[in-house]
Amino acid sequence: DVKVTQSSRYLVKRTGEKVFLECVQDMDHENMFWYRQDPGLGLRLIYFSYDVKMKEKGDIPEGYSVSREKKERFSLILESASTNQTSMYLCASSLVDREGTEAFFGQGTRLTVV
Amino acid sequence: GENVEQHPSTLSVQEGDSAVIKCTYSDSASNYFPWYKQELGKGPQLIIDIRSNVGEKKDQRIAVTLNKTAKHFSLHITETQPEDSAVYFCAASAGRRALTFGSGTRLQVQP
């Protein structure tokens, strides 16, 4: 059974803290993604990675960075958390296919910044 | 970049009725159009997808149609059941690019 696992379901952090969200996939997928989900806005792409140590900015990268040192692990970093980063964060992975392919999602991390 | 618009934002139907959710996309290069279902407390899960060389695809009570000329695609659920209640997202991508999602539709099926 394919699996994308996010390290935390719920997190509460203080403004200004450095926050790490971890994601691991066991499907040997090349692509990994971080999305942010907010009511009425759908899922918005923060960053994605198509290979180890490779990354590309998505639509809303400001205030975030990522790290992919191993193929199975993709980390999202909030350098200095702010209240407007309170949201649901979803990690996903997929194979590389020029015809498009299914993305598998983790269960999400609900982050609250106070 | 790609822009995907989704309507309606909420949809309430009686059990047994049909439900239709519509999406439009902007990038004519998009060639992959999946639909995801998200249940409470879970991540989105793929329910059906369609590629640009196909006009319609069906899987039991779920069907998707694609009109490339008009740049829109739709999800059709027939004989709705209470367990169909969830949030549904459409998405689009071109080649190897990441998926761009619509804003979501909350479907409620009334028993």
Side-chain angles (χ1 to χ4, degrees):
Chain A
D1 200 16
V2 297
K3 213 161 185 182
V4 178
T5 303
Q6 295 183 227
S7 54
S8 304
R9 291 295 302 271
Y10 301 95
L11 273 179
V12 180
K13 296 292 181 181
R14 295 194 179 276
T15 301
E17 273 193 80
K18 190 168 186 176
V19 181
F20 293 86
L21 303 184
E22 307 285 348
C23 175
V24 176
Q25 52 98 359
D26 64 0
M27 295 165 282
D28 202 34
H29 286 168
E30 295 90 352
N31 289 338
M32 294 190 76
F33 312 88
W34 276 105
Y35 287 90
R36 171 176 169 160
Q37 182 177 8
D38 298 289
L41 297 177
L43 280 67
R44 293 179 292 166
L45 182 67
I46 305 171
Y47 268 98
F48 74 97
S49 168
Y50 48 90
D51 202 350
V52 175
K53 297 191 188 294
M54 306 301 287
K55 61 186 179 185
E56 280 198 26
K57 292 180 181 179
D59 299 317
I60 51 165
E62 296 79 16
Y64 304 95
S65 62
V66 291
S67 172
R68 193 167 181 200
E69 296 295 319
K70 293 185 178 182
K71 190 175 184 180
E72 67 270 18
R73 187 178 296 270
F74 193 34
S75 302
L76 179 69
I77 304 154
L78 287 66
E79 297 290 341
S80 177
S82 64
T83 54
N84 63 11
Q85 292 178 309
T86 291
S87 187
M88 171 70 85
Y89 290 88
L90 289 162
C91 174
S93 71
S94 74
L95 292 168
V96 172
D97 188 333
R98 65 177 183 175
E99 300 296 322
T101 185
E102 177 180 1
F104 293 86
F105 283 85
Q107 78 277 24
T109 296
R110 184 164 293 282
L111 173 67
T112 302
V113 182
V114 297
Chain B
E2 176 66 276
N3 182 48
V4 177
E5 295 194 359
Q6 181 172 348
H7 300 280
S9 56
T10 59
L11 181 59
S12 182
V13 299
Q14 291 295 124
E15 184 176 356
D17 287 351
S18 295
V20 179
I21 303 170
K22 298 183 179 182
C23 289
T24 60
Y25 63 98
S26 61
D27 187 351
S28 56
S30 287
N31 61 351
Y32 178 63
F33 306 92
W35 286 88
Y36 283 81
K37 176 182 181 182
Q38 186 177 28
E39 296 175 330
L40 202 60
K42 296 184 179 180
Q45 195 163 11
L46 181 76
I47 54 171
I48 195 166
D49 57 12
I50 192 167
R51 289 183 168 79
S52 58
N53 58 348
V54 175
E56 185 172 355
K57 185 176 177 181
K58 194 171 181 180
D59 182 5
Q60 298 183 355
R61 297 186 296 109
I62 294 172
V64 58
T65 59
L66 171 65
N67 183 326
K68 283 172 53 182
T69 304
K71 295 203 196 83
H72 66 70
F73 56 114
S74 301
L75 177 72
H76 304 252
I77 306 174
T78 58
E79 300 171 23
T80 52
Q81 300 167 4
E83 52 264 37
D84 294 329
S85 295
V87 179
Y88 291 81
F89 292 97
C90 62
S93 68
R96 298 183 172 200
R97 293 189 218 149
L99 290 168
T100 298
F101 285 83
S103 54
T105 297
R106 183 173 298 278
L107 173 66
Q108 190 162 6
V109 180
Q110 308 281 359

